[in-house]
Amino acid sequence: MDASSSHPTAPSSLPLQDRVAIVTGSSRGIGKAIAVHLASLGAKIVINYSTNGDQAELLAQEINSSSPHSDSLRAITVQANVSDPTHVKTLFDVAERVFGAPAHVLVNSAGVLDPKYPSIANTPLEVFDLTFSVNTKGAFLCCKEAANRLKRGGGGRIILLTSSMVGGLKPGFGIYAASKAAVETMVKILAKELKGTGITANCIAPGPIATEMYFSGKTEEQIQKNIEECPLGRLGETKDIVPIVGFLATDASEWVNGQVIRVNGGYV
């Protein structure tokens, strides 16, 4: 048995050891699970939140207290609205200042979905504006900043969460799916524009995942229908998503670039 296999949890064996990862929308739901997972791979985490400050602080405490070095800062929180370019710039500024290095990884998990699931004909203009402001403009601003500021020469990773609803095309999801479809198109082009930087750009498109955002506004009948539509007979969980994000964040994923990976149990 070689030294590396005899000490699988040694710092040198962690694929993201001391790399800085910015995870937007990470105070709860999928984003929170992603932050915890990337920290377990050795990353230093910037936990971004818009309104859930208390939850973000609890998550930072959880990650920092689990560090093998009690004096080592592994996670910080930064309040920022991803649809505001000044706020997005601040995310990267704080990451670089606190951790003393440019970020390697950006995971954009921030997103909104109208729990009323209106048809396109009945969607208020303000709902359209908010959805595209956060989901599409937010992704654009994060991509723009990351493309200019992530570590170059290897290990730079842009990972955006979209939705399998881009393929599912269910009534009531018109504006949401459209906002995510725009992001998927943008990322495929961004990956080509980043030629020569060593930075990759990909999307992960979850199906129905049992989070607070998913359950909001849904009836038991709707939930059961989603379960029945999945070949595996259950809702997805955050644990189904985070290993894929973890893989894309590491050097092992270098040859995966400009892709949309649907993670939905066969739902779509």
Side-chain angles (χ1 to χ4, degrees):
M1 182 178 291
D2 63 30
S4 62
S5 61
S6 63
H7 300 285
T9 58
S12 61
S13 71
L14 296 175
L16 296 178
Q17 185 65 42
D18 292 334
R19 295 186 184 184
V20 177
I22 298 170
V23 186
T24 70
S26 52
S27 64
R28 61 180 187 167
I30 297 175
K32 176 181 178 180
I34 289 170
V36 170
H37 184 65
L38 296 185
S40 77
L41 299 179
K44 297 178 178 179
I45 307 295
V46 178
I47 300 164
N48 160 249
Y49 68 96
S50 178
T51 57
N52 297 306
D54 291 344
Q55 290 172 271
E57 289 297 336
L58 285 172
L59 177 58
Q61 291 172 21
E62 175 188 331
I63 292 172
N64 285 321
S65 65
S66 66
S67 171
H69 306 290
S70 58
D71 60 341
S72 175
L73 185 67
R74 308 298 303 179
I76 60 169
T77 63
V78 180
Q79 183 175 22
N81 179 347
V82 295
S83 65
D84 185 318
T86 304
H87 288 205
V88 176
K89 180 179 182 298
T90 297
L91 268 179
F92 284 78
D93 289 345
V94 173
E96 291 176 8
R97 183 175 72 247
V98 173
F99 292 123
H104 272 80
V105 179
L106 167 80
V107 181
N108 184 41
S109 182
V112 295
L113 170 65
D114 185 350
K116 295 178 182 177
Y117 305 102
S119 67
I120 291 172
N122 294 314
T123 297
L125 182 57
E126 57 267 24
V127 169
F128 174 91
D129 287 343
L130 176 63
T131 304
F132 270 78
S133 179
V134 175
N135 295 357
T136 312
K137 181 183 177 183
F140 159 72
L141 291 172
C142 287
C143 282
K144 179 179 172 67
E145 202 71 23
N148 285 299
R149 297 182 66 173
L150 287 187
K151 178 77 167 60
R152 296 189 170 223
R157 301 287 182 261
I158 296 172
I159 305 164
L160 305 185
L161 266 69
T162 57
S163 172
S164 285
M165 198 52 69
V166 174
L169 303 175
K170 303 287 186 183
F173 288 87
I175 303 308
Y176 177 75
S179 73
K180 296 293 192 176
V183 174
E184 293 185 358
T185 299
M186 183 164 53
V187 162
K188 292 173 184 178
I189 295 172
L190 176 64
K192 296 175 182 178
E193 293 177 344
L194 288 169
K195 180 179 180 179
T197 65
I199 301 170
T200 64
N202 294 285
C203 291
I204 291 181
I209 302 293
T211 62
E212 184 180 332
M213 181 175 170
Y214 168 80
F215 288 117
S216 179
K218 286 191 176 66
T219 64
E220 282 297 324
E221 183 182 7
Q222 290 170 320
I223 295 167
Q224 191 58 41
K225 184 179 179 183
N226 282 165
I227 292 171
E228 291 169 358
E229 287 172 334
C230 179
L232 297 180
R234 66 173 176 86
L235 292 176
E237 299 176 37
T238 56
K239 68 179 178 62
D240 298 314
I241 305 300
V242 295
I244 314 300
V245 179
F247 166 70
L248 287 181
T250 68
D251 291 344
S253 71
E254 184 178 36
W255 208 237
V256 181
N257 195 16
Q259 304 303 309
V260 176
I261 303 173
R262 289 182 181 161
V263 189
N264 58 40
Y267 175 74
V268 178

